[in-house]
Amino acid sequence: MTAILRKELLQLRRDRLTFGMIPFIQLVRFGYAINTEVRHIPAAMVDQSESSLGQALTHMLEATQVVRFEKRFATVEEAERAILRAKVRAAFIIPHDLDDRLVRNPAIASRFAAPAQGDAGRPVAQWTANGSDTLVAGAIRSLRTMPLGELFRAPSTPATPTFEVTLYYNPEQRSVVNIVPDLVGIILTMTMIMFTAAAIVRESERGKMEMLITTPIRPLELMIGKIIPFVGIGLIQVGVILGLGAALFSVTVAGSLGTLLVVTLLFILASLSLGLVLSTFAKSQMQAMQMTVFVLLPSILLSGFMFPYEAMPEAAQRIADLLPATHFMRIIRGVVLRDADLADLGPDGAWLLGFTMLGLIVASLRFRTRLDCWQGGHRTTQTGRRRPVRPNCGTGSWQASSAMSSSGTTSRSTAISRASSRRSSSRRKTRRRA
């Protein structure tokens, strides 16, 4: 028992990647990136007053660090269109009569003229926000009672609402409205990458790579043939998730089903191509599964599924932008919740298409390199037998030669056993004749 325990500890000590680098990388990355406190929400402003008070009010809002005004529009319709396209999360609308509303708003003390009877509940300005993300909507709603006494250096009443807040797409603030479409991206990421991550490795471990070499098929055609069967499985999963979401939680698809089909196909192909790339780097199916988890965790924590994208530091946002799930989260929310079309989702859709093409090219190039190692990994002996030679083609190509070696050893053993059985049968026949 002591010897077995020592052997297992020695094997675990050799696996430095799993027990050393992966926990360190995950801790630093997620501990630095995850933040539930929403800050610097991208917002738009529609200043219809064009006054110094409107500029002062804007500066007060930016000083809270809750919002960051990135765009300015002349009309409310343009701001709402930007919310639909996910260019901004909220829009701040300043009315024409801002001066009159400020001095008559009950949030400021009666230092000025007393408000008229019909002006007691009149807000100073209005917020319109995308309410599909409950954390972002909650941050915008926290500005509803922002004190305005600093504008006139007068005491204010914080309990009195200052702004009117209108939440689109999820006015009831149900968290399941945001979770159901996001689950489509998470489940597809997990299953699609897992299916294809072990595709090439499985062929090597089962000794079927020689069959692929002899077939008149190109590496790119092989990569495409590997991912097409899983596309149907992904579409079935999407139908099940959205169907159950509509039946159990009343989360229906607001957009076009044709648009949903197109963007879902783009994400499925992007995930499958990423799995193929991982498969060309993995040395075994177990390592392919570890790589899948290494991609799945960032897709859950950095894509905006659990934590707002705006709450992450800029460096973490750049890492999140490299993940297909981040772009699909924006797309699926736009189609399911905001009734967005392909024109509104163009940048993210183009990114997924480019990622798919790049992934297929990289996977085919990696697989072609490994095929070259395979074909150059034999030498012919003086007796005419071909023996496998381990090539030196870099990381990721050793399993091909090892699989060939095992298959070659198996075939030679089978041939030797058949030859010995033939000699034995011929000897028995000779003895019978004698």
Side-chain angles (χ1 to χ4, degrees), residues 75-363:
T75 61
V76 179
E77 290 75 14
E78 294 177 355
E80 292 178 349
R81 188 66 178 177
I83 296 176
L84 175 64
R85 293 188 171 187
K87 301 296 183 182
V88 294
R89 289 295 192 100
F92 184 60
I93 304 171
I94 302 177
H96 296 282
D97 55 345
L98 175 64
D99 300 348
D100 182 65
R101 293 192 182 200
L102 278 173
V103 298
R104 293 179 180 276
N105 190 271
I108 300 176
S110 59
R111 166 179 175 175
F112 302 97
Q117 186 175 359
D119 294 338
R122 198 176 186 187
V124 173
Q126 181 184 7
W127 278 103
T128 58
N130 180 3
S132 60
D133 194 331
T134 56
L135 292 177
V136 175
I140 296 296
R141 293 178 65 181
S142 65
L143 300 174
R144 185 169 178 263
T145 57
M146 189 184 75
L148 298 177
E150 297 181 4
L151 287 175
F152 303 99
R153 297 182 180 180
S156 60
T157 307
T160 305
T162 305
F163 305 123
E164 179 184 355
V165 178
T166 303
L167 300 178
Y168 292 156
Y169 317 121
N170 188 16
E172 299 177 358
Q173 289 295 279
R174 295 192 304 148
S175 59
V176 69
V177 173
N178 197 39
I179 290 177
V180 169
D182 289 353
L183 277 177
V184 176
I186 297 302
I187 293 177
L188 287 180
T189 300
M190 177 177 62
T191 55
M192 296 296 102
I193 296 179
M194 186 179 299
F195 286 157
T196 54
I200 305 300
V201 183
R202 189 186 303 114
E203 301 291 345
S204 300
E205 291 182 348
R206 293 180 179 179
K208 297 181 178 180
M209 195 64 71
E210 289 181 343
M211 298 173 58
L212 295 178
I213 294 177
T214 56
T215 56
I217 189 172
R218 299 177 181 178
L220 183 59
E221 296 174 348
L222 176 63
M223 297 297 107
I224 296 176
K226 284 285 186 182
I227 67 176
I228 287 179
F230 300 111
V231 174
I233 298 176
L235 293 177
I236 293 174
Q237 290 179 342
V238 173
V240 171
I241 296 171
L242 295 180
L244 291 178
L248 300 179
F249 306 107
S250 301
V251 181
T252 58
V253 179
S256 171
L257 294 180
T259 304
L260 179 63
L261 177 62
V262 172
V263 298
T264 304
L265 283 175
L266 288 177
F267 178 67
I268 290 175
L269 293 175
S271 300
L272 292 175
S273 62
L274 177 59
L276 285 178
V277 173
L278 295 180
S279 179
T280 59
F281 283 93
K283 299 178 181 178
S284 62
Q285 294 191 53
M286 181 61 66
Q287 192 176 34
M289 297 304 156
Q290 291 179 349
M291 291 183 178
T292 302
V293 175
F294 196 75
V295 175
L296 180 62
L297 284 179
S299 299
I300 295 176
L301 299 177
L302 301 182
S303 63
F305 172 65
M306 296 186 64
F307 306 98
Y309 177 85
E310 291 78 12
M312 295 186 294
E314 185 176 358
Q317 291 180 1
R318 298 296 169 265
I319 297 176
D321 288 336
L322 298 176
L323 300 172
T326 304
H327 299 270
F328 184 69
M329 294 295 180
R330 301 169 186 166
I331 293 177
I332 194 68
R333 291 175 183 173
V335 176
V336 176
L337 303 179
R338 303 194 303 269
D339 191 13
D341 53 17
L342 290 177
D344 301 326
L345 309 172
D348 292 315
W351 191 94
L352 289 177
L353 180 59
F355 185 89
T356 301
M357 297 177 63
L358 180 62
L360 289 176
I361 293 174
V362 172

